[in-house]
Amino acid sequence: MVVSSRSFRLATAAVLAVLFALPYTGAPDFYLSYLYIVFFWAALATSWGVLSGYAGYWSFGHAAFFGAGVYTAAGLAAKAGLPFLLTIPLAAGVSAALAGAIGLVVFRLKSLRGEFFALLTLSVTYVVAAIVSNTPIDGGGGVYMSQVPLPTFGTSVPGAIYLLGLLLAVGALAVSRQVLRSRLGAGLLAIHDDEDVAEVKGVPTLRYKLAAFAISGAIAGAAGAIQAAYVGYVTVGDTFSITVPLYVVLMSILGGARHWAGPAVGATLITVALSLFVGGNHAELGRAGVALALIVVILVLPQGITPRLLARFRKEEAQARPARPARPAALTLAAARPASGRPAAAGDGPLLECRGVTKRFGGLQALAGVDLQVRRGEILALVGPNGSGKSTLINMISGHFPLSSGSIELDGERISLLEPHEVARKGVARTYQIPRLFEHLSVFENVRLCAVFGGEGDQPLEDPDALARHWLAFTGLADKAQQLPAALNLHERKFVEFARALAARPKLLLLDEVLCGLTPSEVDQAVDLIRKIRAGGTTIVFVEHVMRAVVALADRVAVLDQGRLLALGAPQETMRMPEVVDVYLGVAHAA
């Protein structure tokens, strides 16, 4: 059965109206408290999902931000006499500031990702707990909230806490949904799949991770403030318990951490299951049964319950639509249009200039003072034996690696000191020798993301959806738009790389061995595609070993050997030079 989005919105509004009216209907305090617990865990799990679910930075230290909120509210309300409602935003602010301060240090270190980030955040919990326990904030005796006057909102105190919990849960879900559907959310999902590529594609990864961490901490802090009023007596042991992060992680995974509603769904299911099966004389057996059921569900639905249900709903919705005529499976290139609005005339002066570009990796010198100019509108091929520094030079230009010395200028502006996402905003786009697509995003979402973050300025000049559709058609992948990258073959994955780079509307396109692994017919298609790109006005630098493609495409060829520029000139003449034959083609091949 297909449910329209309008019907869903109406049903959601009706449910919310009933929930907000519940305290005013004389509902027993027991049921209000029970529902508050559901709202509390839903909000806390949702806050975890903003950073850990979207960006993939798993935090086991969520209790630190929750606890900071608890003790901010308890200290200000019970000791300083501030109105309780005022302590909620203050608690959110303290927790957000704590998350931001940690992020400013941790997110700058590439070594602190994955399990190292998880362990570090867990250690932060113990540090915060020790500080609270050994200072007047708690002092070891706990903080009583029983004498703090709480608002009633025209109902009882349990009813007021219920309403605050409901408002927090709805607010957390609204914030998480807005984040996911925003530019920030698109960047976080890209960070989740491949942070280094996301940065090169124009995503300001440090800023976005800090924003997500602060939002996550703020919601957790607000949840802690309300929870302090609910429990009435806060202690370090209960507040900073390891069960807090473990529960929110489990809830988020069960419901689906990459969807805004997933953690709340998981929190509701686990909270209800625990209340139903862990009471009575067989509490331990009940816990074991719930744990076993959770393991089975997670194994069967690794992406979570919510994404699976939504996928089924979309499948039914698609089946209900009239069938469209089948399109041919062969790749057909659409007409080109200018990617940068510049004419495709070579020789208008240098667009890119490399001066003394040097790169060392410890004791290994990959580039040794390369001087190279790329003329506006030309196709320049970088060739040379393996290990000569071709891909390293591409990485230097795109900002993927910092220079050891030298400088790189684009349109007369130095870009070698910029972060990779800033280089992308200047009009530089690249592909990878081995396609590095965002594996959890569809083909359309991969291309759309580059349309959003690529190009000059903070906002795309054209509709990102229209740009994505155009470049998918241009590369012959329109029929693959809704598929995940795992369903594509190598040829198609490389053409998705083309579409992503072109969606960024670059001045300069860097292609790193895009023909590697393709069949002769696929090479011909790729050559045709590169010609169309150049005709659209884009300057191209490409690394390649397929010599017939180099000769067919390049205006000039730059030969690298052992990190140095060996030769530069027209393809036919350059490839016949004796020194080039010796280091690259070999005497037998030349003969």
Side-chain angles (χ1 to χ4, degrees), residues 358-441:
T358 301
K359 180 61 182 177
R360 301 182 187 88
F361 297 97
L364 175 65
Q365 182 157 301
L367 291 174
V370 173
D371 293 308
L372 181 66
Q373 286 187 346
V374 180
R375 300 166 185 162
R376 193 182 308 277
E378 79 168 331
I379 297 180
L380 176 72
L382 291 177
V383 301
N386 289 331
S388 61
K390 305 181 300 296
S391 294
T392 302
L393 182 57
I394 294 291
N395 286 328
M396 298 298 102
I397 297 170
S398 64
H400 195 90
F401 294 134
L403 275 67
S404 299
S405 64
S407 67
I408 300 175
E409 292 183 359
L410 181 74
D411 254 349
E413 182 180 357
R414 188 168 182 175
I415 62 172
S416 49
L417 299 178
L418 300 179
E419 295 294 328
H421 73 271
E422 295 172 320
V423 174
R425 296 292 178 83
K426 297 297 182 182
V428 177
R430 66 163 298 176
T431 66
Y432 289 87
Q433 178 181 352
I434 300 174
R436 295 176 65 174
L437 307 181
F438 302 119
E439 296 295 332
H440 292 91
L441 301 182

Side-chain angles (χ1 to χ4, degrees), residues 425-478:
R425 296 292 178 83
K426 297 297 182 182
V428 177
R430 66 163 298 176
T431 66
Y432 289 87
Q433 178 181 352
I434 300 174
R436 295 176 65 174
L437 307 181
F438 302 119
E439 296 295 332
H440 292 91
L441 301 182
S442 69
V443 169
F444 176 82
E445 290 168 335
N446 265 272
V447 179
R448 185 187 184 279
L449 181 132
C450 295
V452 170
F453 290 99
E456 298 180 78
D458 291 331
Q459 296 297 330
L461 299 177
E462 300 181 61
D463 176 29
D465 290 350
L467 280 171
R469 285 191 293 268
H470 172 80
W471 292 115
L472 284 173
F474 178 75
T475 51
L477 293 170

Side-chain angles (χ1 to χ4, degrees), residues 112-160:
L112 292 178
R113 295 180 183 175
E115 64 273 15
F116 296 106
F117 178 80
L119 292 173
L120 185 140
T121 53
L122 181 61
S123 67
V124 167
T125 301
Y126 294 114
V127 171
V128 174
I131 292 172
V132 170
S133 180
N134 292 281
T135 61
I137 298 174
D138 181 283
V143 179
Y144 287 93
M145 293 282 291
S146 55
Q147 302 303 315
V148 174
L150 299 176
T152 60
F153 306 124
T155 179
S156 62
V157 169

Side-chain angles (χ1 to χ4, degrees), residues 295-567:
I295 292 172
V296 171
V297 171
I298 290 172
L299 289 175
V300 174
L301 304 174
Q303 298 300 319
I305 293 173
T306 305
R308 174 60 66 89
L309 292 177
L310 287 175
R312 183 174 179 180
F313 168 75
R314 288 167 184 153
K315 184 178 179 180
E316 292 178 354
E317 191 176 34
Q319 291 173 346
R321 295 172 183 163
R324 296 180 179 179
R327 296 181 180 178
L331 292 173
T332 304
L333 301 182
R337 67 180 180 185
S340 61
R342 298 178 181 271
D348 292 341
L351 174 67
L352 179 78
E353 187 164 5
C354 301
R355 296 194 187 98
V357 173
T358 301
K359 180 61 182 177
R360 301 182 187 88
F361 297 97
L364 175 65
Q365 182 157 301
L367 291 174
V370 173
D371 293 308
L372 181 66
Q373 286 187 346
V374 180
R375 300 166 185 162
R376 193 182 308 277
E378 79 168 331
I379 297 180
L380 176 72
L382 291 177
V383 301
N386 289 331
S388 61
K390 305 181 300 296
S391 294
T392 302
L393 182 57
I394 294 291
N395 286 328
M396 298 298 102
I397 297 170
S398 64
H400 195 90
F401 294 134
L403 275 67
S404 299
S405 64
S407 67
I408 300 175
E409 292 183 359
L410 181 74
D411 254 349
E413 182 180 357
R414 188 168 182 175
I415 62 172
S416 49
L417 299 178
L418 300 179
E419 295 294 328
H421 73 271
E422 295 172 320
V423 174
R425 296 292 178 83
K426 297 297 182 182
V428 177
R430 66 163 298 176
T431 66
Y432 289 87
Q433 178 181 352
I434 300 174
R436 295 176 65 174
L437 307 181
F438 302 119
E439 296 295 332
H440 292 91
L441 301 182
S442 69
V443 169
F444 176 82
E445 290 168 335
N446 265 272
V447 179
R448 185 187 184 279
L449 181 132
C450 295
V452 170
F453 290 99
E456 298 180 78
D458 291 331
Q459 296 297 330
L461 299 177
E462 300 181 61
D463 176 29
D465 290 350
L467 280 171
R469 285 191 293 268
H470 172 80
W471 292 115
L472 284 173
F474 178 75
T475 51
L477 293 170
D479 289 336
K480 308 290 185 180
Q482 299 309 317
Q483 294 188 12
L484 292 176
L488 305 181
N489 59 34
L490 177 62
H491 181 202
E492 293 164 341
R493 291 172 70 90
K494 283 181 176 285
F495 272 44
V496 175
E497 284 272 22
F498 272 121
R500 292 200 309 180
L502 293 170
R505 308 167 303 286
K507 298 176 184 176
L508 176 66
L509 177 59
L510 309 173
L511 306 177
D512 192 0
E513 296 194 38
V514 293
L515 307 183
C516 177
L518 301 184
T519 65
S521 63
E522 291 170 346
V523 169
D524 291 338
Q525 284 185 319
V527 167
D528 188 19
L529 181 67
I530 294 170
R531 285 184 176 133
K532 286 192 170 189
I533 295 169
R534 190 266 188 85
T538 302
T539 303
I540 299 172
V541 176
F542 74 106
V543 174
E544 197 48 67
H545 287 294
V546 181
M547 297 314 300
R548 69 181 180 91
V550 171
V551 173
L553 288 170
D555 298 308
R556 294 189 300 156
V557 173
V559 183
L560 296 180
D561 180 44
Q562 298 182 10
R564 292 178 171 84
L565 183 63
L566 179 66

Side-chain angles (χ1 to χ4, degrees), residues 25 54 101 107-108 159 175 185 217 258 263 327 360 381 383 391 452 455 481 535 543 563 575 578:
T25 63
Y54 296 165
F107 289 147
R108 294 180 183 275
V175 168
R258 284 173 65 92
R327 296 181 180 178
R360 301 182 187 88
V383 301
S391 294
V452 170
V543 174
M575 302 313 296

Side-chain angles (χ1 to χ4, degrees), residues 1-15 313:
M1 179 181 178
V2 179
V3 180
S4 69
S5 58
R6 174 181 168 83
S7 299
F8 178 78
R9 287 195 296 268
L10 290 174
T12 301
V15 169
F313 168 75

